[in-house]
Amino acid sequence: MAYAFAASAISANFFPATDQTAALLATLAVFGVPYLVRPLGAIVFGSLGDRVGRKHLLVVTIALMAGCTTLIGLLPTYGTIGVFAPILLVLLRMLQGFGFAGEFAGAATYVMEHSPRTRRGLTAGLMQSGTGLSYPVLAAVALLLGSTLGSEAFNSWGWRIIFLISAPLGLVALYIRRKLTESPEFERLRAHKATSAAPLRESVRTQYRQLVAVTLYLCAYAVGSTMIIVYVPVYLRTTVGLDDQTNRIVSVIVLLAMGLTIPLFGLLVDRLGRRTVRLIATLSLAVIAPLAFSLAVSTGVGGALIGFGLLAVAQGLNFAIAPLTTVESFPAALRYTSAGLAYNITVAIVGGLTPLVVAWIVASTGSSIAPAWFVVALSVLSIFGIVLMRDTSAAATSDMSSGTAVETP
């Protein structure tokens, strides 16, 4: 998400400055590009993960993502190499998306298959809190760089630091992942010769209803993440009129509220059950979104902190339950492929297009709260998905002989 926190600087450095609105829309469009290749990444990494194991793919995905992020920080600008600058930016963003397509399903599957069944909510919450807390850390780095260097220096070269810090962090993560052991559930599948030879074909043939249901369910999760992490900073700058530094302060506080609540909500998942928390999380987004955008427009900084802080907490609840739901919804023999497909199809459509579509809607209609109704509409789709979904309140395990999901009592 370093791209989101450097969006204004990327707009100035990689796109012609003749039209600021066009440059911003182009920047948001490039943000969406990696999402388009995610279904392909899900197919490639998912099929490999279900056939050869989880741990090796986790090494590949982290290396690919960290490498591409570092290279973006080293790219020459439009002023240096012209049109090749945005072309290279798009190519690296596509490779990032390809890698992340395997990262989500792989990491969530690996962690779930190592966790006690009665504590999976807490374990998933702790895993997601690592992701959730990385956002305010990145926002804080952007804030520190902006305040230390000033807007001119930050937009000129300081933005690169946000990307370059991924190099040492990626090396540490790569070292840790190389030491991982294979998941016990996959080892059992392999021992019983129950791995699938064609996980993509089997997933589509045997899990099609669950794939549709989970894909719909994830709409609220995808739009909530994209709104909070990517679009809200743009909205606060372009619609509410906050300066860059104030915007970054608001982002740090809002994202910190989300990250800190995720593990607490993980405990709630273990206590209340999956279906109940799914409904609460989805309805919370739908109810809070109109309030959040209205408060931001009418009362400025204070309203933005309260409204988007509440929206971030609601999204924290989605962070705690959505990945767990996604991987538990499918049998172990097809889990990496099926979970990756459901997640990445939703993210490709909803996550990739949301910033661009919502920015265009606001510019076209002049309605400052139009983004809220977009969140509401997608939350309704999620509720349809929850209704269609096979209940995962008792975590699914795999029937080794048939590869089908069996609900445990």
Side-chain angles (χ1 to χ4, degrees), residues 164-187:
L164 294 177
I165 58 177
S166 69
L169 294 176
L171 289 173
V172 171
L174 191 60
Y175 174 79
I176 293 171
R177 290 191 175 189
R178 285 175 61 86
K179 303 293 184 180
L180 296 176
T181 58
E182 188 54 82
S183 94
E185 197 153 351
F186 184 81
E187 291 285 23

Side-chain angles (χ1 to χ4, degrees), residues 339-377:
L341 274 177
Y343 175 78
N344 286 291
I345 287 172
T346 306
V347 169
I349 297 170
V350 177
L353 295 178
T354 290
L356 186 63
V357 170
V358 174
W360 177 81
I361 291 172
V362 171
S364 301
T365 65
S367 171
S368 56
I369 62 168
W373 303 119
F374 191 70
V375 174
V376 171

Side-chain angles (χ1 to χ4, degrees), residues 19-328:
D19 186 336
Q20 289 187 352
T21 300
L24 175 61
L25 289 174
T27 305
L28 292 175
V30 174
F31 172 82
V33 162
Y35 290 90
L36 301 179
V37 300
R38 285 197 178 183
L40 176 61
I43 291 170
V44 172
F45 285 113
S47 296
L48 288 171
D50 281 330
R51 283 186 295 169
V52 304
R54 318 324 192 184
K55 70 169 186 173
H56 299 297
L57 276 300
L58 291 176
V59 173
V60 175
T61 56
I62 195 66
L64 189 57
M65 291 189 301
C68 289
T69 303
T70 302
L71 287 174
I72 289 174
L74 297 172
L75 276 181
T77 64
Y78 187 91
T80 304
I81 60 171
V83 71
F84 291 105
I87 289 174
L88 290 172
L89 178 63
V90 168
L91 289 175
L92 288 173
R93 291 285 293 158
M94 290 177 70
L95 285 172
Q96 272 186 323
F98 188 80
F100 194 81
E103 171 69 14
F104 174 89
T109 296
Y110 184 86
V111 168
M112 192 206 81
E113 290 180 349
H114 273 84
S115 305
R117 192 166 295 115
T118 57
R119 305 290 283 176
R120 283 179 178 169
L122 175 60
T123 305
L126 290 171
M127 179 192 77
Q128 285 291 88
S129 68
T131 302
L133 288 172
S134 69
Y135 302 138
V137 169
L138 280 173
V141 170
L143 172 63
L144 179 62
L145 290 171
S147 60
T148 303
L149 301 175
S151 294
E152 185 176 346
F154 178 84
N155 288 330
S156 175
W157 59 269
W159 62 271
R160 296 180 183 276
I161 298 172
I162 301 175
F163 291 87
L164 294 177
I165 58 177
S166 69
L169 294 176
L171 289 173
V172 171
L174 191 60
Y175 174 79
I176 293 171
R177 290 191 175 189
R178 285 175 61 86
K179 303 293 184 180
L180 296 176
T181 58
E182 188 54 82
S183 94
E185 197 153 351
F186 184 81
E187 291 285 23
R188 285 194 292 271
L189 282 170
R190 189 153 51 190
H192 287 81
K193 297 186 175 3
T195 57
S196 172
L200 176 61
R201 186 173 66 232
E202 282 193 51
S203 292
V204 174
R205 181 173 57 84
T206 66
Q207 303 296 314
Y208 60 90
R209 173 172 173 162
Q210 193 75 336
L211 281 168
V212 171
V214 176
T215 299
L216 287 174
Y217 157 67
L218 287 169
C219 283
Y221 171 84
V223 76
S225 297
T226 309
M227 281 290 184
I228 292 294
I229 300 163
V230 180
Y231 182 71
V232 164
V234 175
Y235 179 85
L236 291 175
R237 185 175 69 253
T238 59
T239 304
V240 180
L242 300 187
D243 62 85
D244 284 345
Q245 284 301 89
T246 304
N247 195 350
R248 290 174 187 134
I249 292 170
V250 172
S251 293
V252 170
I253 295 171
V254 165
L255 291 168
L256 194 60
M258 181 178 74
L260 290 175
T261 56
I262 295 171
L264 299 177
F265 289 140
L267 284 170
L268 196 66
V269 171
D270 287 327
R271 288 181 177 274
L272 297 183
R274 277 61 160 165
R275 184 179 290 274
T276 300
V277 176
R278 281 195 291 267
L279 285 169
I280 293 172
T282 303
L283 291 172
S284 296
L285 275 183
V287 170
I288 294 171
L291 173 65
F293 283 92
S294 297
L295 280 173
V297 170
S298 61
T299 61
V301 177
L305 280 171
I306 295 171
F308 290 130
L310 289 172
L311 193 65
V313 170
Q315 184 58 21
L317 187 53
N318 275 287
F319 259 78
I321 183 61
L324 181 61
T325 292
T326 304
V327 296
E328 278 190 347

